[in-house]
Amino acid sequence: MSIDNNHKENHDAERTLSNSHLAERSLGFGTIAIHHGQEPESVTGAVIPPIFLSTTFAQIPYVGHKGYEYSRSGNPTRDALEKAIAKLEGGKHGFLFSSGLGSTSTFFSIFPQGSEVIVCDDAYGGTLRYLNNVASKLNVVPKVADLTVPENIIPLITPDTKVIWLETPTNPTLKVIDISVISRLAKQNNPDILIVVDNTIMTPFFQNPLKHGADVVAHSVTKYINGHSDVVMGALVTSNEEIAAKLRYYQNAVGSVPSPFDCFLAHRGLKTLHLRMKKCEENAMKIAESLINSAMVKSVNYPGLESHPQHAIALKQQSGFGGMISFVIKGDKRHSQAFLNNLKLFCYGESLGGIESLIEVPAIMTHASVPEAQREKLGIIDTFIRISVGIEEAEDLLYDINFALKAAQNVK
Ligand SMILES: *Cc1c(COP(=O)(O)O)cnc(C)c1O
């Protein structure tokens, strides 16, 4: 059935967010996640736009193209997700990469030889591995510091300092770093220093670093944004036009771009990010509270707990506390092993941010590449356990944890 042209025009006008009565409103997170960059497809009206798998696009000889030439340089399915993530972070430009580390390595490739980077001491293990073992051989000199004390950056800043890279809350110790204080201190020294925040753990739903003085936001889309543990992808967002132009050039020149099918899956995940983040936070709060009251638990790290050393900073820059918890179990490796062996719902594995609950021992898994002395300094010992709380029912998760803690308690 076809519709007449008049009707079609009205219909299209209603459907375009930027061109309707809704343009005046600042729309809520879920509305943007579902609608931004996702107009029904213009030819057929398909509510979910098709996946543009084509690697190349027909052009007109000596005239030009319709916005796309070759899928490494640009692809409509990728564009839609880039737009949506940028909008949700409050940024102008979004760029997607084939992994979170693909974003990181492409980002650092824009700097000249000898550029210095200050990075927080418990950044994601792969970020530190890239900076210390790869970028240090190319163009970048990394300097590691505890950025929960923002003044620690001051003695490290030189005329070659180009970037301060931080993650907050950090992983796996969940320390909170004050983004606006770091940004102010750095820019007082040199306004050209770029502040980059890896916002993977909070997601744009709970924290928008650009609003607190960051210049670039980095994401492992692999985690919460995709949220279903079936896509590896990374993103960068910025409102800085000069950096955006460089990122666009390097995204194409370096070539670590995601496939259209992965972009489709991650975009589908993004549309329920708000629901998933609310649920995993609700579950995480209950689990954190239950853990602090357990006789088998020595200490719990969760920024939502009033006892967390940077709870006040978390309240200032985050609108929630997320789904990551870490804790130290009492006893030794035998006790943590008994605990882990007796869990049924928490899958023992790396990664985080999926619908399912995951649990791991960072010292021997995700953070094994961090030098032992550094790990010990951060408290990442053998009995230090990290949980990525999923969106199952809280009562079932608590039952599973309490059962396994009892099993650990029975180890003599
Ligand atoms: C997983 C992760 C990364 C790296 O992302 P990949 O998609 O695995 O390459 C970077 N930062 C944080 C905080 C992460 O959890």
Side-chain angles (χ1 to χ4, degrees):
M1 188 171 60
S2 70
I3 42 181
D4 66 60
N5 278 343
N6 257 347
H7 183 128
K8 186 171 186 301
E9 267 164 33
N10 292 336
H11 181 77
D12 282 349
E14 262 169 36
R15 287 294 196 168
T16 307
L17 286 186
S18 54
N19 178 16
S20 75
H21 58 287
L22 289 171
E24 308 280 308
R25 259 178 87 76
S26 76
L27 298 170
F29 191 98
T31 310
I32 295 171
I34 291 165
H35 291 284
H36 193 79
Q38 287 279 284
E39 311 291 345
E41 194 262 337
S42 61
V43 178
T44 61
V47 170
I48 300 302
I51 308 171
F52 288 90
L53 290 170
S54 190
T55 53
T56 185
F57 298 83
Q59 306 188 27
I60 303 164
Y62 304 103
V63 176
H65 53 76
K66 298 178 175 177
Y68 299 97
E69 306 153 76
Y70 183 62
S71 269
R72 172 167 25 77
S73 334
N75 171 282
T77 311
R78 189 174 92 209
D79 268 13
L81 180 58
E82 287 179 336
K83 281 198 186 110
I85 293 178
K87 183 80 178 172
L88 291 171
E89 276 295 4
K92 286 194 193 141
H93 307 283
F95 302 92
L96 291 173
F97 301 88
S98 50
S99 67
L101 282 176
S103 323
T104 309
S105 57
T106 306
F107 174 77
F108 283 113
S109 64
I110 73 177
F111 298 98
Q113 194 88 39
S115 298
E116 294 179 3
V117 179
I118 300 172
V119 58
C120 64
D121 58 2
D122 55 351
Y124 175 70
T127 303
L128 291 172
R129 180 177 55 206
Y130 175 74
L131 287 170
N132 289 331
N133 302 349
V134 182
S136 62
K137 287 192 286 192
L138 304 170
N139 56 337
V140 165
V141 182
K143 295 178 178 180
V144 176
D146 175 1
L147 299 185
T148 54
V149 181
E151 292 72 21
N152 283 348
I153 62 171
I154 293 172
L156 299 179
I157 292 178
T158 76
D160 290 322
T161 305
K162 297 279 191 270
V163 176
I164 297 179
W165 180 287
L166 61 97
E167 213 175 296
T168 178
T170 61
N171 165 26
T173 54
L174 300 166
K175 295 193 290 193
V176 177
I177 296 172
D178 194 321
I179 304 168
S180 61
V181 173
I182 294 272
S183 171
R184 199 172 60 236
L185 284 177
K187 309 252 176 197
Q188 273 167 4
N189 261 274
N190 175 357
D192 293 335
I193 295 176
L194 296 173
I195 312 299
V196 185
V197 175
D198 179 335
N199 201 28
T200 301
I201 304 270
M202 276 295 99
T203 82
F205 185 66
F206 283 136
Q207 176 171 274
N208 291 132
L210 298 179
K211 295 197 180 121
H212 300 286
D215 301 284
V216 178
V217 176
H219 278 287
S220 171
V221 175
T222 314
K223 312 296 166 53
Y224 290 105
I225 292 182
N226 178 63
H228 294 72
S229 307
D230 49 14
V231 169
V232 173
M233 193 185 293
L236 295 172
V237 175
T238 187
S239 292
N240 177 320
E241 297 296 336
E242 192 190 327
I243 298 301
K246 284 189 181 160
L247 290 176
R248 190 168 297 110
Y249 181 86
Y250 279 81
Q251 181 191 38
N252 181 47
V254 175
S256 2
V257 294
S259 77
F261 186 70
D262 282 354
C263 293
F264 165 80
L265 282 177
H267 205 149
R268 173 171 160 148
L270 180 74
K271 291 170 188 172
T272 55
L273 181 63
H274 56 304
L275 301 177
R276 289 184 285 107
M277 291 316 287
K278 283 181 202 166
K279 178 65 176 165
C280 76
E281 178 187 52
E282 188 187 305
N283 287 351
M285 198 60 170
K286 288 181 184 164
I287 291 172
E289 277 169 353
S290 160
L291 287 173
I292 18 174
N293 291 319
S294 163
M296 269 312 285
V297 173
K298 203 160 158 190
S299 59
V300 181
N301 305 309
Y302 184 64
L305 295 174
E306 275 171 35
S307 58
H308 187 283
Q310 296 102 24
H311 180 64
I313 303 169
L315 280 175
K316 185 181 76 166
Q317 66 191 16
Q318 303 170 193
S319 59
F321 306 106
M324 299 300 297
I325 302 174
S326 54
F327 69 100
V328 177
I329 195 165
K330 273 190 195 155
D332 54 37
K333 211 160 97 182
R334 292 170 309 141
H335 299 89
S336 52
Q337 199 166 22
F339 169 71
L340 294 163
N341 279 337
N342 277 280
L343 288 167
K344 257 282 163 258
L345 293 175
F346 290 80
C347 173
Y348 184 70
E350 300 196 358
S351 199
L352 59 98
I355 47 176
E356 67 290 304
S357 293
L358 293 169
I359 196 156
E360 65 127 2
V361 177
I364 55 169
M365 297 168 73
T366 48
H367 292 67
S369 66
V370 178
E372 196 177 337
Q374 170 80 358
R375 270 200 324 256
E376 303 236 310
K377 205 177 114 208
L378 294 168
I380 308 173
I381 52 178
D382 278 352
T383 46
F384 180 104
I385 294 168
R386 185 188 82 177
I387 307 180
S388 167
V389 181
I391 61 169
E392 302 94 334
E393 302 303 341
E395 295 67 30
D396 298 329
L397 296 177
L398 285 168
Y399 191 86
D400 200 27
I401 285 188
N402 289 329
F403 177 85
L405 282 173
K406 242 184 221 116
Q409 201 162 14
N410 289 335
V411 174
K412 289 293 171 259

